[in-house]
């Protein structure tokens, strides 16, 4: 299975006392906030952050089809073995 890494713009999903990357609640993979924003600095508008990801090809295809996400870049880091 091929693995891809990249960066994407996504939204915060906030609930009282907790902020989560919306992307991480929708897709399986490894996600890291690269903006380094403290929770106290999160504002509801524009509600956007940049997230680094590592996902499989199926997940990347679903993310690319998701109109709520902006994929900044993606590259294959582990090729699919036949």
């Amino acid at each position: 299975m091929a693995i891809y890494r990249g960066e994407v713009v996504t939204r915060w999903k906030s609930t009282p006392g907790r902020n989560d990357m919306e992307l991480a609640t929708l897709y399986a993979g490894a996600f890291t906030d690269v903006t380094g924003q403290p929770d106290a600095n999160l504002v509801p508008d524009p509600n956007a952050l940049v997230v680094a990801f590592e996902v499989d090809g199926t997940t990347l295809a679903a993310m690319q089809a998701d109109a709520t996400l902006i994929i900044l870049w993606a590259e294959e880091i582990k090729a699919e073995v036949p």
Side-chain angles (χ1 to χ4, degrees), residues 2-37:
I3 302 296
Y4 297 83
R5 73 174 166 203
E7 290 183 340
V8 59
V9 178
T10 187
R11 299 170 48 92
W12 285 109
K13 181 177 180 181
S14 296
T15 56
R18 182 181 178 113
N19 291 303
D20 294 308
M21 292 173 273
E22 185 174 68
L23 175 72
T25 67
L26 301 173
Y27 299 101
F31 304 102
T32 305
D33 172 8
V34 296
T35 60
Q37 297 179 88

Side-chain angles (χ1 to χ4, degrees):
M1 174 183 316
I3 302 296
Y4 297 83
R5 73 174 166 203
E7 290 183 340
V8 59
V9 178
T10 187
R11 299 170 48 92
W12 285 109
K13 181 177 180 181
S14 296
T15 56
R18 182 181 178 113
N19 291 303
D20 294 308
M21 292 173 273
E22 185 174 68
L23 175 72
T25 67
L26 301 173
Y27 299 101
F31 304 102
T32 305
D33 172 8
V34 296
T35 60
Q37 297 179 88
D39 283 1
N41 293 354
L42 299 179
V43 294
D45 187 13
N47 187 5
L49 73 150
V50 178
V51 173
F53 64 82
E54 282 193 19
V55 297
D56 63 29
T58 302
T59 301
L60 178 59
M63 289 168 51
Q64 289 171 323
D66 187 334
T68 66
L69 302 175
I70 301 170
I71 306 291
L72 299 174
W73 63 273
E75 67 182 357
E76 186 176 43
I77 58 172
K78 179 181 173 192
E80 189 166 345
V81 178

